[in-house]
Amino acid sequence: MDQPFRYYLRVRYQECDAQNVVFNSRYSDYADLCISEFLRAAMPGRDPFDGSFEIQVVRQLIEWKAPARYNDVLELAAAVARFGTSSFTVAIEMRRAGTADVLATAETVYVCVDSATWTKRPVSAEEREMLSQGARGKRIDHAGYLTAAMMEGR
């Protein structure tokens, strides 16, 4: 991913099993949180949740490679991987912050729908541009990781 959007979160206790390993279903939650922040970053000056940009998930694929654990800070890198006429696919790589090894990947396909009829509608040229360019290189840190890493010289 060339300068992807990055989202940081800390794994909470209630997201884990008795061995402190993240439940499989939580990776979908993490992808959803990341995509919500990605949309905010990609659409500056526009609220992607005000009803003018309605999207619905039509497919999600998650592949696990290694477990995340309690208190890990996860770094999720996200970018639009492809566009269809009325759809777009967001690809996410999840890793422990500061490491290269990918723990899981998520691929989520959204379809744009008209807010009045709830039928498919094309992704506009403006939306395509914002989604493909708007969030590049931006970072949202809900874990306090970047500040701590900067202070430690990482």
Side-chain angles (χ1 to χ4, degrees), residues 135-152:
R136 283 189 185 206
K138 293 182 182 174
R139 295 172 184 208
I140 301 295
D141 182 2
H142 286 170
Y145 171 76
L146 294 175
T147 303
M150 285 185 225
M151 294 176 91
E152 294 172 9

Side-chain angles (χ1 to χ4, degrees), residues 9-12 15-16 20 22 27 30 67-75 95-97 103 143:
L9 64 89
R10 185 176 301 277
V11 174
R12 299 174 300 175
E15 297 166 345
C16 300
N20 289 326
V22 172
Y27 291 85
Y30 297 159
R69 297 182 178 276
Y70 169 65
N71 212 31
D72 282 348
V73 173
L74 301 183
E75 174 184 295
R95 55 181 50 87
R96 279 183 199 82
L103 301 177

Side-chain angles (χ1 to χ4, degrees), residues 1 4-12 15 26-41 72-79 91-98 135 137-146:
M1 292 186 187
F5 169 81
R6 295 184 193 281
Y7 175 66
Y8 297 84
L9 64 89
R10 185 176 301 277
V11 174
R12 299 174 300 175
E15 297 166 345
R26 292 300 185 157
Y27 291 85
S28 183
D29 293 338
Y30 297 159
D32 190 54
L33 287 166
C34 179
I35 292 167
S36 292
E37 295 302 328
F38 170 83
L39 292 173
R40 288 182 210 280
D72 282 348
V73 173
L74 301 183
E75 174 184 295
L76 285 71
I92 297 175
E93 293 179 345
M94 302 180 199
R95 55 181 50 87
R96 279 183 199 82
K138 293 182 182 174
R139 295 172 184 208
I140 301 295
D141 182 2
H142 286 170
Y145 171 76
L146 294 175

Side-chain angles (χ1 to χ4, degrees), residues 23-84:
F23 289 116
N24 290 349
S25 64
R26 292 300 185 157
Y27 291 85
S28 183
D29 293 338
Y30 297 159
D32 190 54
L33 287 166
C34 179
I35 292 167
S36 292
E37 295 302 328
F38 170 83
L39 292 173
R40 288 182 210 280
M43 300 178 150
R46 180 175 172 181
D47 180 358
F49 306 105
D50 67 2
S52 65
F53 183 67
E54 293 291 347
I55 56 176
Q56 296 177 341
V57 173
V58 294
R59 180 177 180 270
Q60 186 171 64
L61 173 67
I62 297 178
E63 293 184 12
W64 294 273
K65 300 175 186 314
R69 297 182 178 276
Y70 169 65
N71 212 31
D72 282 348
V73 173
L74 301 183
E75 174 184 295
L76 285 71
V80 173
R82 64 185 156 276
F83 286 99

Side-chain angles (χ1 to χ4, degrees), residues 76-141:
L76 285 71
V80 173
R82 64 185 156 276
F83 286 99
T85 302
S86 62
S87 66
F88 62 97
T89 302
V90 179
I92 297 175
E93 293 179 345
M94 302 180 199
R95 55 181 50 87
R96 279 183 199 82
T99 68
D101 294 337
V102 175
L103 301 177
T105 60
E107 185 178 271
T108 306
V109 180
Y110 290 92
V111 66
C112 290
V113 295
D114 180 271
S115 61
T117 64
W118 297 103
T119 58
K120 286 192 230 182
R121 68 153 179 90
V123 181
S124 73
E126 177 190 21
E127 292 163 343
R128 285 174 189 270
E129 180 64 22
M130 286 190 289
L131 291 168
S132 62
Q133 302 295 327
R136 283 189 185 206
K138 293 182 182 174
R139 295 172 184 208
I140 301 295
D141 182 2

